[in-house]
Amino acid sequence: MAYEPGLHLIQGDADTAMLALPISGTAYTKGDVLELVDGIQTWAACTSSSNARTRKAVAQETVVSTAAEVKAILVTLSQVWVAEAANDAVVAHTGDRMAFTDSNTVNNSASDQTGATGCFQQLATSGPLTDKRIIGQFCGLYGNATV
């Protein structure tokens, strides 16, 4: 199956309702991953330095930079997602925890990211390896980036 850029929920718990999340001054595309850093009032795009422990959500609509909110699914540990990967999707990366490359791509660099930036763990691949799609789950998510 061909997927749009970004992350897409393929298996979820019962609570996958969208929330209108406050944002500030940034355009987002459906499939972008956002995080809520402790003590900050608005959600922002995940980056390569995002912490596994921050709350995450995946945008379900495309919005312009003047938008005050974006509809998104709040990520839980029981959900399974298809993610766009930076490199070809290979079985050898199964089990690896990965940092984000940017808000819609995980960095499958062939090594397990053991530090706090290991936000997404590969469970399997999806489609041809050159489609760069992996199946996995988010790590952490308990909302305290300083622990």
Side-chain angles (χ1 to χ4, degrees):
M1 176 177 186
Y3 290 96
E4 299 170 307
L7 279 80
H8 302 279
L9 184 64
I10 60 170
Q11 180 180 335
D13 52 22
D15 188 15
T16 56
M18 286 186 282
L19 301 172
L21 303 177
I23 57 175
S24 179
T26 303
Y28 294 108
T29 301
K30 181 179 179 183
D32 283 352
V33 182
L34 311 177
E35 67 179 336
L36 182 63
V37 175
D38 296 335
I40 304 299
Q41 295 177 352
T42 56
W43 291 71
C46 282
T47 67
S48 60
S49 60
S50 290
N51 192 299
R53 296 175 185 95
T54 58
R55 302 280 181 206
K56 307 283 188 312
V58 178
Q60 298 301 298
E61 64 179 346
T62 297
V63 297
V64 296
S65 61
T66 56
E69 61 187 26
V70 63
K71 291 180 182 169
I73 295 175
L74 189 64
V75 172
T76 68
L77 293 175
S78 63
Q79 296 164 330
V80 178
W81 297 82
V82 168
E84 184 174 356
N87 303 298
D88 288 349
V90 296
V91 173
H93 297 168
T94 298
D96 286 354
R97 291 164 290 180
M98 301 167 186
F100 284 96
T101 304
D102 53 35
S103 65
N104 65 12
T105 310
V106 294
N107 187 6
N108 57 335
S109 60
S111 63
D112 183 31
Q113 179 55 257
T114 60
T117 59
C119 294
F120 191 84
Q121 186 172 32
Q122 180 175 313
L123 303 176
T125 61
S126 177
L129 65 107
T130 55
D131 281 355
K132 299 181 180 182
R133 297 291 187 267
I134 61 173
I135 297 170
Q137 292 179 299
F138 284 82
C139 306
L141 301 175
Y142 51 85
N144 186 345
T146 59
V147 174

